[in-house]
Amino acid sequence: MKRSLSLIAASTLVALSLNTFAGGNHGGGHDGGGAKGNGSAETAIGQPGQASKVTRTINVDMADTMRFTPAAISVKQGETVKFVIKNSGQVKHEFSMGTDAELKEHYETMKKFPEMEHDEPSKISLAPGKQGEIVWQFTKAGDVKFACLYPGHYDAGMKGQVTVVKK
């Protein structure tokens, strides 16, 4: 009896820990809004920006037509932009910036764990009718991709590009 209870307790702990992992929470979960921009870790696509250095605000709409408006954005290298992102649809959408390879890799993970939540400065997930912000500094010239990585959305064409023009 004691051995059975131990096995049940151990199995429960394993199941709970696997369930937590399967939720795929990267660093705390999307907060559904608020300014991003804590930290200064530069990546291949730039770094989190500081609200006090924003030079321009760009409004981005996410719709159930699986499109972003605008889908093509141009910024200058070094520019800090505040994206005000609104989900005008009836389903959850996200705005996730990265390189092509990063987005594709993350999309494969999202297919396995569709309820994954993440709290990263270059990503925001929004419920229908909600709005949020990302503040980003584009430190490198080139193309920065963005997409909605909920299963099916990316494949349906819910993606866009920020062209960062060299100084």
Side-chain angles (χ1 to χ4, degrees), residues 51-96:
S52 63
K53 299 200 175 175
V54 169
T55 57
R56 182 163 46 134
T57 298
I58 298 173
N59 294 305
V60 179
D61 183 66
M62 301 185 293
D64 292 347
T65 56
M66 302 301 150
R67 295 293 181 263
F68 289 99
T69 304
I73 298 167
S74 182
V75 301
K76 294 180 183 124
Q77 182 181 4
E79 189 173 6
T80 299
V81 173
K82 175 168 74 172
F83 293 98
V84 177
I85 303 150
K86 180 170 176 143
N87 180 353
S88 64
Q90 300 298 310
V91 299
K92 199 171 186 182
H93 291 294
E94 81 172 7
F95 180 92
S96 182

Coordinates of all heavy atoms in Angstrom, one line a residue, residues 51-96:
A51 N 11.0 53.8 -23.9 CA 9.9 54.7 -24.3 C 10.3 56.1 -24.5 O 9.8 56.8 -25.3 CB 8.8 54.5 -23.2
S52 N 11.3 56.6 -23.7 CA 11.8 58.0 -23.8 C 12.5 58.3 -25.1 O 12.7 59.4 -25.4 CB 12.7 58.3 -22.6 OG 13.8 57.5 -22.6
K53 N 12.9 57.2 -25.8 CA 13.6 57.5 -27.1 C 12.8 57.2 -28.3 O 13.3 57.2 -29.4 CB 14.9 56.6 -27.1 CG 15.8 56.9 -25.9 CD 17.2 56.5 -26.1 CE 18.0 57.0 -24.9 NZ 19.3 56.6 -24.9
V54 N 11.5 57.0 -28.1 CA 10.6 56.7 -29.3 C 10.6 57.9 -30.2 O 10.4 59.0 -29.8 CB 9.2 56.3 -28.8 CG1 8.2 56.3 -30.0 CG2 9.2 55.0 -28.1
T55 N 10.8 57.7 -31.5 CA 10.8 58.7 -32.5 C 9.5 58.7 -33.4 O 9.2 59.6 -34.0 CB 12.0 58.7 -33.4 OG1 12.1 57.4 -34.0 CG2 13.3 58.9 -32.6
R56 N 8.8 57.5 -33.3 CA 7.7 57.4 -34.1 C 6.8 56.3 -33.6 O 7.3 55.3 -33.0 CB 8.1 57.0 -35.5 CG 7.0 56.8 -36.5 CD 7.4 56.9 -38.0 NE 8.6 56.1 -38.3 CZ 8.6 55.3 -39.3 NH1 7.6 55.2 -40.2 NH2 9.7 54.6 -39.6
T57 N 5.5 56.4 -33.7 CA 4.5 55.4 -33.4 C 3.9 54.9 -34.6 O 3.5 55.6 -35.5 CB 3.4 56.0 -32.5 OG1 4.0 56.5 -31.3 CG2 2.4 55.0 -32.1
I58 N 3.8 53.5 -34.7 CA 3.2 52.9 -35.9 C 2.1 52.0 -35.4 O 2.3 51.2 -34.5 CB 4.2 52.0 -36.6 CG1 5.4 52.9 -37.2 CG2 3.6 51.2 -37.8 CD1 6.5 52.1 -37.8
N59 N 0.9 52.3 -35.9 CA -0.3 51.5 -35.5 C -0.4 50.3 -36.5 O -0.3 50.4 -37.7 CB -1.6 52.3 -35.7 CG -1.6 53.4 -34.7 OD1 -1.5 53.2 -33.5 ND2 -1.8 54.7 -35.2
V60 N -0.6 49.1 -35.9 CA -0.7 47.9 -36.6 C -2.0 47.2 -36.2 O -2.2 47.0 -35.0 CB 0.5 46.9 -36.3 CG1 0.4 45.6 -37.1 CG2 1.8 47.6 -36.7
D61 N -2.8 46.8 -37.2 CA -4.0 46.1 -37.0 C -3.8 44.6 -37.3 O -3.2 44.3 -38.4 CB -5.1 46.7 -37.8 CG -6.5 46.0 -37.5 OD1 -7.0 46.1 -36.4 OD2 -7.0 45.3 -38.4
M62 N -4.3 43.7 -36.5 CA -4.4 42.3 -36.8 C -5.8 41.9 -37.0 O -6.7 42.2 -36.1 CB -3.8 41.5 -35.6 CG -2.4 41.9 -35.2 SD -1.6 40.8 -33.9 CE -2.6 41.3 -32.5
A63 N -6.1 41.2 -38.1 CA -7.5 40.9 -38.4 C -7.6 39.4 -38.7 O -6.7 38.7 -39.0 CB -7.9 41.7 -39.6
D64 N -8.9 38.9 -38.6 CA -9.2 37.5 -38.9 C -9.1 37.1 -40.3 O -9.2 36.0 -40.7 CB -10.6 37.2 -38.3 CG -10.7 37.2 -36.8 OD1 -9.6 37.3 -36.2 OD2 -11.8 37.2 -36.3
T65 N -8.8 38.1 -41.2 CA -8.5 37.8 -42.6 C -7.1 37.2 -42.7 O -6.6 37.0 -43.8 CB -8.6 39.1 -43.5 OG1 -7.7 40.1 -42.9 CG2 -10.0 39.6 -43.5
M66 N -6.4 37.1 -41.5 CA -5.0 36.6 -41.4 C -4.1 37.6 -42.1 O -3.1 37.2 -42.8 CB -4.9 35.2 -41.9 CG -5.8 34.2 -41.3 SD -5.5 34.1 -39.5 CE -7.1 33.7 -38.9
R67 N -4.3 38.8 -41.8 CA -3.4 39.9 -42.4 C -3.1 40.9 -41.3 O -3.9 41.2 -40.4 CB -4.1 40.6 -43.6 CG -4.4 39.7 -44.8 CD -3.1 39.3 -45.4 NE -3.3 38.4 -46.6 CZ -3.2 37.1 -46.6 NH1 -3.0 36.4 -45.5 NH2 -3.4 36.4 -47.7
F68 N -1.9 41.5 -41.5 CA -1.5 42.7 -40.7 C -1.7 43.9 -41.6 O -1.4 43.9 -42.8 CB -0.1 42.6 -40.3 CG 0.3 41.6 -39.3 CD1 0.8 40.4 -39.7 CD2 0.1 41.9 -37.9 CE1 1.2 39.4 -38.7 CE2 0.5 40.9 -37.0 CZ 1.0 39.7 -37.4
T69 N -2.1 45.0 -41.0 CA -2.2 46.3 -41.7 C -1.5 47.3 -40.9 O -1.9 47.6 -39.8 CB -3.7 46.7 -42.0 OG1 -4.3 45.7 -42.6 CG2 -3.7 48.0 -42.8
P70 N -0.4 47.9 -41.4 CA 0.3 47.6 -42.6 C 1.1 46.3 -42.5 O 1.5 45.9 -41.4 CB 1.2 48.8 -42.8 CG 1.5 49.2 -41.5 CD 0.3 49.0 -40.6
A71 N 1.4 45.7 -43.6 CA 2.3 44.5 -43.6 C 3.7 44.8 -44.0 O 4.6 44.0 -43.9 CB 1.7 43.4 -44.6
A72 N 3.9 46.0 -44.6 CA 5.2 46.4 -44.9 C 5.5 47.8 -44.2 O 4.7 48.7 -44.4 CB 5.3 46.6 -46.4
I73 N 6.6 47.8 -43.5 CA 6.9 49.0 -42.7 C 8.4 49.3 -43.0 O 9.2 48.4 -43.1 CB 6.7 48.7 -41.2 CG1 5.2 48.4 -40.9 CG2 7.2 49.9 -40.3 CD1 5.0 47.8 -39.5
S74 N 8.7 50.6 -43.1 CA 10.1 51.0 -43.3 C 10.5 51.9 -42.1 O 9.8 52.8 -41.7 CB 10.2 51.8 -44.6 OG 11.6 52.1 -44.8
V75 N 11.7 51.6 -41.6 CA 12.3 52.4 -40.5 C 13.7 52.7 -40.8 O 14.3 52.1 -41.7 CB 12.1 51.7 -39.1 CG1 10.7 51.4 -38.8 CG2 13.0 50.5 -39.0
K76 N 14.3 53.6 -40.0 CA 15.8 53.9 -40.2 C 16.6 53.2 -39.2 O 16.1 53.0 -38.0 CB 16.0 55.4 -40.1 CG 15.4 56.2 -41.2 CD 15.6 57.7 -41.0 CE 14.9 58.5 -42.0 NZ 14.0 59.5 -41.5
Q77 N 17.7 52.7 -39.5 CA 18.6 52.1 -38.6 C 18.9 53.0 -37.4 O 19.1 54.2 -37.6 CB 20.0 51.8 -39.3 CG 21.0 51.0 -38.4 CD 22.3 50.8 -39.1 OE1 22.5 51.2 -40.3 NE2 23.1 50.0 -38.5
G78 N 18.8 52.5 -36.2 CA 18.9 53.3 -35.0 C 17.6 53.8 -34.4 O 17.5 54.2 -33.3
E79 N 16.6 53.8 -35.3 CA 15.3 54.4 -34.8 C 14.6 53.5 -33.8 O 14.7 52.3 -33.8 CB 14.4 54.5 -36.1 CG 13.1 55.2 -35.8 CD 12.3 55.5 -37.1 OE1 12.6 55.0 -38.2 OE2 11.3 56.2 -37.0
T80 N 14.0 54.2 -32.8 CA 13.2 53.5 -31.8 C 11.7 53.7 -32.1 O 11.3 54.9 -32.2 CB 13.5 54.0 -30.4 OG1 14.9 53.7 -30.1 CG2 12.7 53.3 -29.3
V81 N 11.0 52.7 -32.3 CA 9.6 52.7 -32.7 C 8.7 52.1 -31.6 O 9.0 51.1 -31.0 CB 9.4 52.0 -34.0 CG1 7.9 51.9 -34.4 CG2 10.2 52.6 -35.2
K82 N 7.5 52.8 -31.5 CA 6.5 52.2 -30.6 C 5.4 51.7 -31.5 O 4.8 52.4 -32.3 CB 5.9 53.2 -29.7 CG 4.7 52.7 -28.9 CD 4.3 53.5 -27.7 CE 3.5 54.7 -28.1 NZ 2.9 55.5 -27.0
F83 N 5.2 50.3 -31.5 CA 4.2 49.7 -32.2 C 2.9 49.7 -31.3 O 3.0 49.1 -30.2 CB 4.5 48.3 -32.6 CG 5.6 48.2 -33.7 CD1 6.9 48.0 -33.2 CD2 5.4 48.4 -35.0 CE1 8.0 47.9 -34.2 CE2 6.4 48.3 -35.9 CZ 7.7 48.0 -35.5
V84 N 1.8 50.2 -31.8 CA 0.6 50.1 -31.1 C -0.2 49.1 -31.9 O -0.6 49.3 -33.0 CB -0.2 51.5 -31.0 CG1 -1.5 51.3 -30.3 CG2 0.6 52.5 -30.2
I85 N -0.4 47.9 -31.3 CA -1.0 46.8 -32.0 C -2.4 46.5 -31.5 O -2.6 46.4 -30.3 CB 0.0 45.6 -31.8 CG1 1.4 45.9 -32.3 CG2 -0.6 44.4 -32.6 CD1 2.5 45.2 -31.6
K86 N -3.3 46.4 -32.4 CA -4.7 46.1 -32.1 C -5.2 44.8 -32.7 O -4.9 44.6 -33.9 CB -5.6 47.3 -32.5 CG -7.0 47.0 -32.1 CD -7.9 48.2 -32.2 CE -9.3 47.7 -31.9 NZ -10.2 48.4 -31.3
N87 N -5.9 44.0 -32.0 CA -6.5 42.8 -32.5 C -8.0 43.2 -32.8 O -8.8 43.2 -31.9 CB -6.4 41.6 -31.6 CG -7.1 40.4 -32.1 OD1 -7.7 40.4 -33.2 ND2 -6.9 39.3 -31.4
S88 N -8.3 43.4 -34.1 CA -9.7 43.8 -34.4 C -10.5 42.6 -34.8 O -11.6 42.7 -35.1 CB -9.6 44.8 -35.6 OG -9.1 44.1 -36.8
G89 N -9.9 41.4 -34.6 CA -10.6 40.1 -35.0 C -11.4 39.5 -33.8 O -11.5 40.1 -32.7
Q90 N -11.9 38.3 -34.1 CA -12.7 37.6 -33.1 C -11.9 36.4 -32.5 O -12.5 35.7 -31.7 CB -13.9 37.0 -33.8 CG -14.8 38.1 -34.4 CD -15.3 39.1 -33.3 OE1 -15.9 38.6 -32.3 NE2 -15.2 40.4 -33.5
V91 N -10.6 36.2 -32.9 CA -9.8 35.2 -32.3 C -8.5 35.8 -31.9 O -8.1 36.9 -32.3 CB -9.5 34.0 -33.3 CG1 -10.8 33.4 -33.8 CG2 -8.7 34.5 -34.5
K92 N -7.8 35.1 -31.0 CA -6.5 35.6 -30.5 C -5.5 35.6 -31.6 O -5.4 34.7 -32.5 CB -6.0 34.6 -29.4 CG -5.0 35.1 -28.5 CD -4.8 34.1 -27.3 CE -3.9 34.7 -26.3 NZ -3.6 33.8 -25.2
H93 N -4.7 36.7 -31.6 CA -3.6 36.9 -32.6 C -2.3 37.3 -31.8 O -2.4 37.8 -30.7 CB -3.9 37.9 -33.6 CG -5.0 37.5 -34.6 ND1 -4.9 36.5 -35.5 CD2 -6.2 38.0 -34.8 CE1 -6.0 36.3 -36.2 NE2 -6.8 37.2 -35.8
E94 N -1.2 37.2 -32.5 CA 0.0 37.7 -31.9 C 0.9 38.4 -33.0 O 0.8 38.2 -34.1 CB 0.8 36.6 -31.2 CG 1.7 35.8 -32.0 CD 2.6 34.8 -31.2 OE1 2.5 34.8 -30.0 OE2 3.4 34.2 -31.8
F95 N 1.7 39.3 -32.5 CA 2.7 40.1 -33.3 C 4.0 39.6 -32.7 O 4.3 39.9 -31.6 CB 2.5 41.6 -33.1 CG 3.4 42.4 -33.9 CD1 3.1 42.9 -35.1 CD2 4.6 42.9 -33.3 CE1 3.9 43.7 -35.9 CE2 5.5 43.7 -34.0 CZ 5.1 44.1 -35.3
S96 N 4.8 38.9 -33.5 CA 6.0 38.3 -33.1 C 7.1 38.7 -34.1 O 7.0 38.4 -35.3 CB 5.9 36.8 -33.0 OG 7.1 36.2 -32.6

